[in-house]
């Protein structure tokens, strides 16, 4: 399976059904660190191009080998990087600093915690590499478009009626030249410090997400039926908005409306839903003050380029005459078919979701004594609808800033993000330093 996570899921399921050897060659960060680390290979329920329910049919099948070439990540677009960060923000939010004294108390009953627990928030310390990578991808967009154009020409030449060996060789040579130029920009033109930051970012996000998966999947729950469902945090509304927007993309394409800016990958939808989970938790009284700020900042720190903004989706909704009521109901229709329903009590007008309490690394436990999983809780559709309405109005399109230039928690604030303001919002690295200090402070407070 060469490609992204969807290709890995599809080929993995075919391999499982046929008993074939399975090798994954991931070409996206999410496929590498999130998909290959799971035995689950699943399909979504799709009718007439509309996703009705995510990951509803599948099997469990591990690859015999995962072979990754890091340079392929240099050919991604920025949405793929934001998607990986969105999933990583989910991991940071739910596990936090699991290797700390307080973190060890949080996950004392997880067998893999003694071996794989880590400071999963370490990813925020590599924010400089994330920003350098996004800038590099923006600067080399023309080269990537050239490579794609040659690739399409190659495909046509290979399968055309008049197959020419000379033309194929010429196109192959041209593509090699474009990709060599792209690699040359990274290795030759990008300063050594910037290259080091990019590699540190990719190393940290891959290491921490893989260790997080291993912490639960290696021993406790390899079939992701119980404790490993913790990784479904922020996926209830995340899956809902992803499925609904995919329907809008099809409508836009049929009307020849450009939806490029509004396109959001799965991980970006999860990142937005992390924010919504934090907002619901605050509204219900489970998250407040510095704990709320720390939780939301795990996404907002990485939003200087707008990868988690809802505004582009709102503009597409406006272009298609989709009202806030249609948007919310469309998302909630998908939520009502969510695969976590049944694990705890769920009355009419409610859903099964996950919420956070006090600080990152602490999920709310269910009050249902018969719940199979204590951290799956009943949440009213009204609460979910309210955060969706506010997202539709752009209320959560923000970025984390360190207002006084010093890396201290007191200097942190969340401000509205407007297009093109990333450079004017101070140092992201200083904000990351202050955020790390804030999270550390919250964990120390738990031990007092």
């Amino acid at each position: 399976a060469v490609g992204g996570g969807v290709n890995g899921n599809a080929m993995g399921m075919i391999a499982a059904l046929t008993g074939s050897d399975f090798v994954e060659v991931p070409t996206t960060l999410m496929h590498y660190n999130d998909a290959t680390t799971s035995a689950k290979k699943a399909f979504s329920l799709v009718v007439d191009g509309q996703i009705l329910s995510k990951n509803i049919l599948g099997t469990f099948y591990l690859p015999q080998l995962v072979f990754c070439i890091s340079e392929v990540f240099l050919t991604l677009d920025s949405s793929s990087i934001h998607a990986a960060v969105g999933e990583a923000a989910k991991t940071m939010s739910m596990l936090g600093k699991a290797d700390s004294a307080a973190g060890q108390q949080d996950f004392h009953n997880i067998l893999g915690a003694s071996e794989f627990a880590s400071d999963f928030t370490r990813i925020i310390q590599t924010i400089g590499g994330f920003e350098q990578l996004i800038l590099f991808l923006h600067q080399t967009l023309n080269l990537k478009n050239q490579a794609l154009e040659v690739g399409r020409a190659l495909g046509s030449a290979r399968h055309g009626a008049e197959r020419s060996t000379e033309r194929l060789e010429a196109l192959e040579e041209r593509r090699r030249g474009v990709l060599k130029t792209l690699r040359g920009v990274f290795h030759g033109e990008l300063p050594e410090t910037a290259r080091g930051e990019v590699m540190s970012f990719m190393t940290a996000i891959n290491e921490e997400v893989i260790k997080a998966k291993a912490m639960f999947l290696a021993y406790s729950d390899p079939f992701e039926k119980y404790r490993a469902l913790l990784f479904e945090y922020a996926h209830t509304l995340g899956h809902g908005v992803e499925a609904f927007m995919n329907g809008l993309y099809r409508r836009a394409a049929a009307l020849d409306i450009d939806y490029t800016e509004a396109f959001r990958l799965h991980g970006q939808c999860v990142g937005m839903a992390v924010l919504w989970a934090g907002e619901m938790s605050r509204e219900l009284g489970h998250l407040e003050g510095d704990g709320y700020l720390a939780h939301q900042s795990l996404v907002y720190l990485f939003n200087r380029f707008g990868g988690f903004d809802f505004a582009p989706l709102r503009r597409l909704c406006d272009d298609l005459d989709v009202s806030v009521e249609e948007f919310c109901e469309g998302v909630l229709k998908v939520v009502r078919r969510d695969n976590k329903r049944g694990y705890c009590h769920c009355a009419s007008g409610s859903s099964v979701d996950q919420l956070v309490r006090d600080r990152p690394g602490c999920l709310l436990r269910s009050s249902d004594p018969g719940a199979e999983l204590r951290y799956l809780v009943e949440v009213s559709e009204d609460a979910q609808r309210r955060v969706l309405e506010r997202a539709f109005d752009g209320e959560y399109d923000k970025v984390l800033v360190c207002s006084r230039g010093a890396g201290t928690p007191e200097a942190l604030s969340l401000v509205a993000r407007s297009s093109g303001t990333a450079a004017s919002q101070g140092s992201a690295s200083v904000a990351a330093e202050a955020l790390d200090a804030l999270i550390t402070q919250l964990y120390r407070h738990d031990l007092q």
Side-chain angles (χ1 to χ4, degrees):
V2 181
V6 171
N7 192 43
N9 268 354
M11 296 304 294
M13 186 159 180
I14 292 170
L17 293 174
T18 59
S20 302
D21 293 340
F22 182 42
V23 175
E24 293 194 72
V25 184
T27 59
T28 66
L29 281 171
M30 267 192 64
H31 184 192
Y32 176 48
N33 62 41
D34 188 72
T36 64
T37 50
S38 170
K40 182 173 68 177
K41 306 300 174 188
F43 284 105
S44 299
L45 176 61
V46 181
V47 176
D48 296 329
Q50 177 68 51
I51 300 174
L52 299 184
S53 185
K54 289 279 293 183
N55 299 336
I56 204 70
L57 172 67
T59 185
F60 294 89
Y61 203 66
L62 284 168
Q64 290 185 307
L65 172 69
V66 176
F67 182 75
C68 180
I69 304 170
S70 296
E71 276 195 348
V72 300
F73 301 142
L74 302 180
T75 67
L76 297 173
D77 57 27
S78 60
S79 61
S80 292
I81 307 303
H82 280 97
V85 166
E87 283 281 0
K90 169 211 71 179
T91 300
M92 291 189 285
S93 300
M94 70 185 198
L95 297 180
K97 296 178 178 290
D99 62 344
S100 67
Q104 289 170 12
Q105 292 177 8
D106 292 335
F107 301 104
H108 70 277
N109 60 333
I110 304 299
L111 184 60
S114 61
E115 186 172 345
F116 298 109
S118 180
D119 176 6
F120 298 105
T121 67
R122 178 171 75 94
I123 298 166
I124 67 177
Q125 300 168 20
T126 63
I127 180 64
F130 164 79
E131 295 200 337
Q132 289 287 353
L133 180 56
I134 296 295
L135 291 172
F136 170 82
L137 296 178
H138 287 172
Q139 291 163 1
T140 56
L141 185 59
N142 185 51
L143 283 170
K144 288 191 285 289
N145 286 336
Q146 289 180 41
L148 287 171
E149 182 182 346
V150 177
R152 285 189 286 267
L154 261 171
S156 299
R158 284 171 179 157
H159 303 291
E162 298 182 2
R163 184 183 171 100
S164 167
T165 302
E166 285 146 1
R167 174 164 170 72
L168 285 173
E169 289 177 351
L171 288 170
E172 289 277 15
E173 183 62 28
R174 184 179 168 196
R175 183 169 65 174
R176 281 194 293 270
V178 173
L179 293 176
K180 182 178 179 180
T181 301
L182 176 64
R183 289 193 296 271
V185 174
F186 182 78
H187 293 288
E189 297 182 21
L190 205 63
E192 184 177 352
T193 53
R195 290 200 308 275
E197 289 180 341
V198 170
M199 297 311 297
S200 293
F201 162 70
M202 290 199 290
T203 299
I205 195 170
N206 287 332
E207 281 186 352
E208 297 308 325
V209 173
I210 289 170
K211 282 188 284 189
K213 286 295 190 76
M215 183 171 156
F216 287 82
L217 303 185
Y219 307 114
S220 292
D221 189 12
F223 294 108
E224 301 179 50
K225 295 292 186 182
Y226 297 101
R227 287 172 173 168
L229 281 177
L230 189 70
F231 288 95
E232 289 288 298
Y233 179 56
H235 278 59
T236 305
L237 290 181
H239 279 163
V241 73
E242 177 189 6
F244 180 77
M245 291 308 300
N246 269 274
L248 294 194
Y249 301 150
R250 288 176 59 84
R251 287 167 57 179
L255 296 170
D256 200 26
I257 295 175
D258 182 14
Y259 60 88
T260 306
E261 288 190 3
F263 185 71
R264 291 291 183 267
L265 293 170
H266 166 77
Q268 290 173 283
C269 295
V270 169
M272 291 189 292
V274 168
L275 298 172
W276 304 341
E279 293 295 338
M280 286 190 291
S281 299
R282 181 169 74 159
E283 181 181 296
L284 295 170
H286 305 302
L287 190 65
E288 60 185 11
D290 286 345
Y292 165 80
L293 175 62
H295 180 274
Q296 304 302 84
S297 295
L298 292 171
V299 177
Y300 286 137
L301 175 66
F302 293 92
N303 198 38
R304 293 180 174 230
F305 297 93
F308 302 105
D309 278 359
F310 195 89
L313 283 69
R314 170 62 187 272
R315 288 192 288 270
L316 179 61
C317 287
D318 291 343
D319 290 342
L320 295 172
D321 294 323
V322 173
S323 66
V324 62
E325 291 81 13
E326 182 181 351
F327 166 73
C328 292
E329 184 57 27
V331 172
L332 291 174
K333 277 184 178 178
V334 181
V335 168
R336 292 173 194 134
R337 291 186 288 267
D338 186 77
N339 60 8
K340 295 184 293 296
R341 296 179 79 90
Y343 276 95
C344 70
H345 176 74
C346 185
S348 176
S350 294
S351 174
V352 176
D353 211 332
Q354 290 161 293
L355 300 177
V356 69
R357 62 179 178 84
D358 300 333
R359 58 160 170 79
C362 283
L363 289 192
L364 183 67
R365 291 179 176 270
S366 172
S367 59
D368 176 10
E372 290 189 69
L373 291 171
R374 298 304 299 273
Y375 45 75
L376 292 179
V377 298
E378 183 179 9
V379 179
S380 74
E381 283 192 3
D382 288 340
Q384 293 174 321
R385 191 183 300 274
R386 282 193 292 273
V387 295
L388 290 172
E389 289 171 346
R390 291 170 186 159
F392 195 84
D393 289 336
E395 189 173 323
Y396 308 136
D397 294 358
K398 298 178 182 178
V399 65
L400 178 69
V401 299
C402 203
S403 58
R404 293 192 292 275
T408 59
E410 296 78 16
L412 289 173
S413 60
L414 305 177
V415 301
R417 200 200 73 82
S418 57
S419 179
T421 60
S424 64
Q425 290 167 343
S427 167
S429 296
V430 172
E433 179 186 346
L435 175 57
D436 183 62
L438 175 61
I439 297 172
T440 299
Q441 183 175 293
L442 290 167
Y443 270 80
R444 287 174 179 165
H445 182 268
D446 275 5
L447 296 175
Q448 293 176 357

